[in-house]
Amino acid sequence: MESYTLLKPVLRKHRRIVITTHHKPDGDAMGSSLALYHYLLKKGHTVHVITPSDYPYFLHWLPGNAEVLVYPGNEQQAEKLIAEAELIFCLDFNNLKRINELGKHVRNAEAPRVLIDHHLDPENFDQYRLWNAQACATAELVYEFITGLGDGELIDKAISTCIYTGIMTDTGSFRFPSTTASVHRIIARLIDAGAENSRIHELIYDTSSETRLRFLGYCLSEKLEVLHEYRTGFIAISRQELERFQVSTGDTEGIVNYALSIYNIKFAALIIDRSDVVKLSFRSKGEFPANEIAKRYFEGGGHRNAAGGQSKDPLEKVVTKFKQVLEEYKELLNQ
Ligand code: 5GP
Ligand code: MN
């Protein structure tokens, strides 16, 4: 596939553009998609953001949120937009499996696909690519995309707010090793361009519902299992528990990090029995490859320190398998 810079002449004409991102979009998925949305709108294109599922309430304040089309419930409209698009941007994922049903339509579309992403091992479904696994967030790459096309001066309050949100959420608020000096320089420019850093932080992290906090308390006091012999902490949640606490999209975000925050713990997992599949969320410290476990055993993938996967097995069986995997990695976990 070709470099994204070759899109410059393509984008000289006003185009019908669709932007899509991964299942259960997170701050980077929505931040990068909406940043690109605002930029392309400013350039005169007709743009639609389509998500393959709903996304957490704490992202609903993002500028442009009201214009986002959620595929379930808007299937016909979304499929028409994809079929008629002249360009499809795929952000923050690199395998069409990650966008569920939408994947089929994106694959069959006539429009060239542009991949902007920072995950390992991209599948080959794109014609143009801006990919860097070292990037701290897809939002950082959207920043590079806009500036690389010579449009840095178009980055306004809406665009900078969206990019800031993506970088902040994917770097764990600027604490992961991916947060380089260059990332901080980008952040400074985003603040200059209008991103209100303190307000964004509050809108993302300090808007929990009371139920979410009580659910978190329950997870930590009743459900957390610490396996010192494997330097692992994990929490497994059943469907009944999700119902009991009326857990909604976004409520489980970040819970896995508490298990990882324990002294001497190297690997953490949150295992949730969702209605269709059991979803696993992994986090690790240092060199321990969470993504390898996700890829090898749980049909998933991700980054070394943050990965995820799924299983069609019942919850108990998934937990048993998870423990067997830990046994296999015992030596590495204790290095
Ligand atoms: P989270 O635990 O926040 O859901 O996901 C953390 C990271 O793991 C994501 O940024 C993504 O890279 C990866 N990930 C999560 N679930 C899956 C999955 O089902 N498949 C793949 N390939 N990656 C996943
Ligand atoms: Mn990301």
Side-chain angles (χ1 to χ4, degrees):
M1 68 298 308
E2 309 283 2
S3 159
Y4 77 99
T5 49
L6 293 177
L7 279 174
K8 203 167 177 169
V10 178
L11 289 170
R12 234 167 249 145
K13 224 183 121 190
H14 291 168
R15 303 286 182 183
R16 289 186 303 275
I17 297 178
V18 163
I19 301 170
T20 191
T21 190
H22 60 78
H23 176 68
K24 293 285 172 190
D26 57 8
D28 187 30
M30 292 314 296
S32 58
S33 296
L34 286 169
L36 185 65
Y37 168 80
H38 290 294
Y39 164 67
L40 293 170
L41 271 189
K42 252 187 156 171
K43 297 287 282 182
H45 304 287
T46 305
V47 198
H48 289 91
V49 176
I50 303 174
T51 61
S53 74
D54 66 346
Y55 47 94
Y57 61 87
F58 56 76
L59 297 174
H60 290 181
W61 62 272
L62 278 167
N65 177 71
E67 264 55 68
V68 174
L69 200 62
V70 178
Y71 182 65
N74 297 291
E75 289 87 349
Q76 279 188 346
Q77 195 189 349
E79 285 164 23
K80 189 165 186 285
L81 288 168
I82 290 170
E84 291 174 355
E86 293 172 281
L87 213 48
I88 301 176
F89 282 82
C90 298
L91 265 58
D92 204 35
F93 71 97
N94 62 30
N95 190 311
L96 289 174
K97 273 197 296 195
R98 291 278 283 147
I99 58 170
N100 316 337
E101 277 295 293
L102 265 185
K104 180 174 74 196
H105 301 286
V106 169
R107 198 187 289 283
N108 294 337
E110 282 186 21
R113 290 164 287 266
V114 188
L115 179 84
I116 305 183
D117 178 55
H118 67 139
H119 296 91
L120 293 171
D121 305 327
E123 179 194 354
N124 270 329
F125 64 80
D126 50 319
Q127 281 71 38
Y128 299 93
R129 187 176 282 195
L130 172 50
W131 177 80
N132 180 357
Q134 250 89 54
C136 72
T138 296
E140 182 190 354
L141 296 175
V142 168
Y143 181 88
E144 191 182 321
F145 182 85
I146 298 171
T147 52
L149 292 176
D151 283 331
E153 79 286 353
L154 292 186
I155 297 181
D156 56 12
K157 190 179 171 89
I159 297 173
S160 60
T161 298
C162 294
I163 297 179
Y164 187 98
T165 300
I167 295 180
M168 179 187 80
T169 52
D170 254 29
T171 57
S173 301
F174 317 108
R175 58 183 277 255
F176 298 153
S178 56
T179 321
T180 58
S182 141
V183 171
H184 281 291
R185 277 190 283 269
I186 292 174
I187 289 296
R189 278 183 234 130
L190 295 173
I191 294 173
D192 282 342
E196 294 177 80
N197 50 317
S198 181
R199 181 174 159 266
I200 295 171
H201 196 282
E202 190 176 313
L203 286 167
I204 295 283
Y205 295 115
D206 298 339
T207 50
S208 291
S209 61
E210 188 182 330
T211 36
R212 175 188 136 84
L213 229 62
R214 296 202 186 281
F215 176 65
L216 170 65
Y218 172 73
C219 288
L220 299 183
S221 67
E222 310 289 324
K223 303 297 296 183
L224 173 66
E225 273 193 60
V226 181
L227 307 171
H228 288 287
E229 68 274 36
Y230 302 121
R231 296 177 68 184
T232 295
F234 77 96
I235 296 166
I237 301 292
S238 71
R239 226 170 291 176
Q240 291 85 329
E241 287 164 324
L242 290 180
E243 274 163 30
R244 190 171 131 208
F245 286 88
Q246 295 165 0
V247 174
S248 58
T249 301
D251 284 345
T252 54
E253 191 101 1
I255 292 180
V256 64
N257 297 315
Y258 287 93
L260 192 69
S261 72
I262 301 168
Y263 173 72
N264 217 20
I265 288 301
K266 211 164 170 178
F267 186 43
L270 179 68
I271 308 174
I272 302 182
D273 195 357
R274 300 254 176 229
S275 45
D276 42 351
V277 288
V278 173
K279 184 82 191 89
L280 299 101
S281 222
F282 297 138
R283 297 292 183 272
S284 71
K285 287 177 190 154
E287 299 298 313
F288 190 74
N291 53 351
E292 187 181 304
I293 294 186
K295 194 173 176 188
R296 264 205 205 159
Y297 301 98
F298 299 104
E299 301 164 40
H303 315 273
R304 187 182 59 205
N305 298 125
Q310 55 200 307
S311 172
K312 290 259 189 279
D313 288 335
L315 184 64
E316 299 71 35
K317 210 168 158 191
V318 177
V319 170
T320 307
K321 180 171 169 184
F322 176 68
K323 288 180 179 168
Q324 282 162 356
V325 172
L326 293 179
E327 179 60 32
E328 237 172 88
Y329 280 83
K330 191 170 186 177
E331 210 171 301
L332 198 57
L333 284 162
N334 283 293
Q335 261 171 21

